[in-house]
Amino acid sequence: MGSRYVIIGAGAVGATVAAQLVEVGLPVVVVARGANLAALRAGGLRYLRPDGPHQVPLEAVAGPEELDLRAGDVLVLATKAQDTEAVVADWAWRPVAGARPGPGAAPGTPAVAAEALPIVLLQNGIDSARSALRRFAAVVDCAVILPASHLRPGEVVASGAPLVGGLVLGRAERRPGARPPPPHPPAPPARAGPATAPATTLPTAEPAGPDPVDLAAAQIAADLARASFATTVVDDIARYKAGKLLGNLAYNLDAAASPGPLRDAVASAAVEEARAVLAAAGVEAAEPTAAPGLDLTAWKIEDVPGHDRLGSSTWQSLARGGSVESDYLNGEIVLLARLHGLAAPVNTAIASWIAGAARRGGLPAGLGPAELAALLTAAGRPVPSVPAPSASAAAGPDVTSSVVTRVDGAGGEWVDRDGAAGGGGPARAGAVLVGAAALRDELAAAEPPLLLDVRWALGDAHGRDHYLDGHLPGAAYVDLETELAAPAAVPGGRHPLPDLATLTAAARRWGLTAGRRVVVYDDNGGQSAARAWWLLRWAGVTQVRLLDGALAAWRSAGFPLERGDVVPPVGDVTLRGGALPTIDADGAAQLAVEGTLLDARAGERYRGEVEPVDPKAGHIPGARGAPTGANLDEAGRFLPPRVLRARFAALGVGEGTGVVGVYCGSGVTAAHEIAALAVAGIDAALYPGSWSEWSADPTRPVATGPS
């Protein structure tokens, strides 16, 4: 065929296929966007395989406007299913040089992609073929078996070896589950009686001779086989796409819940429910790995050194903060159920939760045992008995790996069970966080840490009243507005850094003496206490930690509170400043282009949908939305280091990615994001003025919309 492959979507599947085709000498163009496009253009694809890293040069474009299509091209759609309709519509009517126009074309009218080029669908779900068949005459659908991950721009991890994966291809049918019509309709039986006018019949789409779509599928399969994929071409691809959908329903549940008997029960219930719905809809499902002619004997999933495979495609989408395709996986079952008068409560609940998590900027595996049990009960399914959690598991779900846990049962430091610290260096998480049980023990020791209560929230001026109603024994109250910030200013923002003399005087009032350890807490997951954590470390106090889980963790452990004010003996500390990095507005603008700038505010504020307090809505151009609330689990504790590293890797932050800056509304919750980065072993600089300073400057540009 001499085909050039135009691969639309350079994520886990698209980039892996592109890399394999390039490595056997076939011409490839990839279509990417955002930071991924920039990384591919700058240095090609960092392609990580069990045999080591490969650097694959790829021609990368942003869209059809940057590429001249030509006869012989093959379009490969490797985007998420939710993007299919818009992408297909964008590419279908593009001119194709050197191709013959279809019937009825006016003289001089160029051929277009929809009539001249085949399109291959490397996607989950069973809906994409409908969108493609509305435009394209030659649609080759595919059930993809490919263990690959894409969390960092310009990088893909593919763990299949020596074959990379398996691809079941076939001509797309016009409705899921339908069998292809015979090539020639049978002749009507002869009937006696008066002659009648023959019934009007529509011409079939099949031309005489070999079917060009089948020929294209065969040639594409041969090219992919050369590129180290197991391939086969089948006549009934819709059956295998439906079978892959059933697998997605179970596998992608890792985006909603941690491993365990309850998740397994929900997965089984979702698949069982889906089978009944597909049967009612007349859709037959077949297991793709059992497709005739697909030889997977040379395919194994092997370790890629230094790169654990963390989860399904939906898990990866949530970790990257991107949109999810659950509407076209669980949601497809919900749609078919409703069209056929059935209910699908399990798949409805899963689709709703995953979509909500994506909207909130949440991380994977947020459904806890109680929610899973309630889902099973509501669906009339049996709830398996679950062993009582161990001390390590009681602190929160292990959402990534069987070798990660907390030191103690009340939310202690996250570590690997082989004894290595879970952060970037020895005891990195333990240098940032302390669990409630560990703190209780420290408070009973001869040299207890100083406790600081930093209750504050935007719009709530009653932090001190909340403190007086009940606080950790011996804790002193810290007023964020007056003790951890200077008065609002332009420039400077709503919470500029206090001058050192003011901060030193406040720290002495709290009772801070030179060399004493400090623990700070609030009642908001540490999101305001982190300002004190960061500010004291910036001022040279090296042993400052956050109470992991905040006041709620202390209460849930059953530990006592005391009421009233605490006035400790005056301390003697001298603060110096400058121990942690900061950036100003110019530095933030530069980092947004040359490094990584994270916006820690809620997603709706980043996107510019709402702005409750600052002059303008939106974000710093080039910044990446990373709501700091997503660094916490459902109990308000910090997520394990490995999960945090995966989250930040999806945002382009990790070892060797350069300087990282963080901002928020006024430099408060950005400190919480910096604490999460520290737990993950990543250093970052704070932009103290943050959005309140940036948005007050009429010369500064503003961006809106998603990352």
Side-chain angles (χ1 to χ4, degrees):
M1 181 183 288
S3 300
R4 177 180 65 169
Y5 285 85
V6 179
I7 300 179
I8 307 165
V13 172
T16 298
V17 170
Q20 292 298 128
L21 291 171
V22 166
E23 290 192 350
V24 296
L26 290 170
V28 171
V29 179
V30 296
V31 182
R33 59 188 179 184
N36 198 31
L37 173 63
L40 293 173
R41 282 175 164 168
L45 175 70
R46 179 171 163 79
Y47 185 42
L48 302 169
R49 303 273 288 119
D51 63 354
H54 303 244
Q55 201 67 32
V56 182
L58 290 177
E59 180 183 353
V61 300
E65 299 82 3
E66 298 183 7
L67 185 67
D68 293 326
L69 296 175
R70 61 194 188 214
D73 283 346
V74 176
L75 300 181
V76 179
L77 188 54
T79 63
K80 296 296 185 185
Q82 67 269 25
D83 299 323
T84 299
E85 179 66 21
V87 172
V88 167
D90 196 19
W91 284 85
W93 312 116
R94 302 289 174 169
V96 180
R100 179 180 299 177
T109 302
V112 295
E115 62 189 357
L117 302 180
I119 186 168
V120 185
L121 309 179
L122 301 183
Q123 298 172 291
N124 290 325
I126 59 178
D127 188 72
S128 293
R130 293 171 55 85
S131 293
L133 286 166
R134 286 190 180 98
R135 287 99 172 173
F136 282 83
V139 181
V140 178
D141 212 347
C142 180
V144 179
I145 307 162
L146 181 59
S149 302
H150 169 58
L151 289 175
R152 183 176 295 177
E155 181 178 290
V156 163
V157 180
S159 54
L163 292 179
V164 180
L167 303 170
V168 182
L169 300 104
R171 174 177 179 161
E173 300 173 18
R174 283 158 177 75
R175 67 174 178 85
R179 297 287 186 170
H184 304 289
R191 294 195 301 172
T196 58
T200 300
T201 59
L202 295 175
T204 62
E206 290 75 11
D211 186 287
V213 183
D214 291 338
L215 292 176
Q219 183 58 58
I220 293 163
D223 286 344
L224 291 167
R226 285 177 56 200
S228 297
F229 289 93
T231 66
T232 189
V233 180
V234 297
D235 293 331
D236 49 356
I237 185 61
R239 295 175 63 231
Y240 298 98
K241 291 288 288 188
K244 176 67 187 300
L245 173 61
L246 292 176
N248 287 137
L249 300 181
Y251 184 47
N252 281 13
L253 192 58
D254 71 346
S258 303
L262 283 169
R263 190 179 85 177
D264 292 344
V266 171
S268 297
V271 172
E272 181 182 337
E273 181 181 87
R275 288 189 186 279
V277 170
L278 291 175
V283 179
E284 184 180 348
E287 170 54 47
T289 59
L294 187 69
D295 184 1
L296 292 170
T297 55
W299 174 65
K300 293 180 175 61
I301 299 177
E302 298 185 357
D303 290 337
V304 176
H307 295 272
D308 294 335
R309 178 167 166 77
L310 292 175
S312 67
S313 60
T314 301
W315 190 102
Q316 294 171 47
S317 293
L318 279 181
R320 288 194 304 270
S323 64
V324 293
E325 58 186 355
S326 51
D327 286 351
Y328 293 85
L329 301 176
N330 307 92
E332 184 69 34
I333 301 304
V334 175
L335 170 64
L336 290 173
R338 290 168 177 167
L339 289 175
H340 292 82
L342 302 174
V346 178
N347 283 282
T348 299
I350 295 170
S352 175
W353 188 89
I354 293 175
R359 176 67 180 172
R360 295 187 302 270
L363 279 181
L367 281 181
E371 293 91 346
L372 294 172
L375 192 161
L376 290 168
T377 300
R381 307 276 175 168
V383 179
S385 59
V386 179
S390 65
S392 60
D398 171 4
V399 296
T400 55
S401 166
S402 61
V403 296
V404 178
T405 187
R406 290 186 187 264
V407 168
D408 63 65
E413 171 197 347
W414 285 106
V415 298
D416 294 342
R417 290 194 186 121
D418 62 6
R428 186 62 181 266
V432 179
L433 306 173
V434 61
L439 177 59
R440 176 201 56 187
D441 294 342
E442 291 182 19
L443 292 174
E447 297 183 359
L450 175 66
L451 286 181
L452 300 180
D453 185 311
V454 196
R455 273 182 265 187
W456 175 90
L458 188 65
D460 182 357
H462 303 288
R464 183 173 182 81
D465 294 336
H466 302 320
Y467 161 81
L468 293 172
D469 285 341
H471 54 78
L472 268 65
Y477 178 70
V478 176
D479 189 314
L480 186 147
E481 293 281 357
T482 62
E483 295 181 304
L484 301 181
V490 179
R494 285 185 281 112
H495 293 113
L497 298 185
D499 64 73
L500 281 171
T502 300
L503 183 60
T504 297
R508 290 177 177 179
R509 283 196 303 273
W510 308 330
L512 182 56
T513 55
R516 188 177 183 184
R517 294 172 298 152
V518 180
V519 173
V520 297
Y521 74 92
D522 56 27
D523 58 0
N524 189 30
Q527 294 192 56
S528 55
R531 171 75 171 206
W533 170 84
W534 184 91
L535 196 57
L536 287 172
R537 292 183 68 231
W538 169 82
V541 181
T542 57
Q543 298 188 70
V544 189
R545 291 169 295 165
L546 286 157
L547 173 57
D548 195 14
L551 185 61
W554 184 271
R555 283 173 167 156
S556 65
F559 300 150
L561 298 176
E562 68 179 20
R563 296 170 59 88
D565 200 4
V566 172
V567 181
V570 175
D572 62 2
V573 71
T574 298
L575 304 179
R576 291 177 173 81
L580 292 182
T582 60
I583 54 175
D584 58 12
D586 289 337
Q590 183 177 0
L591 264 186
V593 176
E594 299 178 2
T596 304
L597 183 65
L598 301 181
D599 185 321
R601 296 174 300 160
E604 59 269 22
R605 291 186 70 189
Y606 170 87
R607 293 187 295 269
E609 297 166 3
V610 299
E611 181 44 66
V613 63
D614 290 319
K616 299 174 187 173
H619 60 265
I620 297 173
R624 303 173 190 181
T628 199
N631 296 318
L632 304 176
D633 65 17
E634 295 297 317
R637 297 187 179 98
F638 280 81
L639 292 164
R642 289 185 179 179
V643 178
L644 291 172
R645 284 198 293 273
R647 184 202 185 199
F648 293 125
L651 293 163
V653 177
E655 184 178 353
T657 57
V659 179
V660 180
V662 185
Y663 75 95
C664 58
S666 63
V668 176
T669 55
H672 188 271
E673 187 106 281
I674 291 174
L677 286 158
V679 171
I682 301 166
D683 294 324
L686 175 71
Y687 173 22
S690 283
W691 184 246
S692 59
E693 178 183 62
W694 184 282
S695 61
D697 185 344
T699 68
R700 298 288 179 185
V702 172
T704 57
S707 293

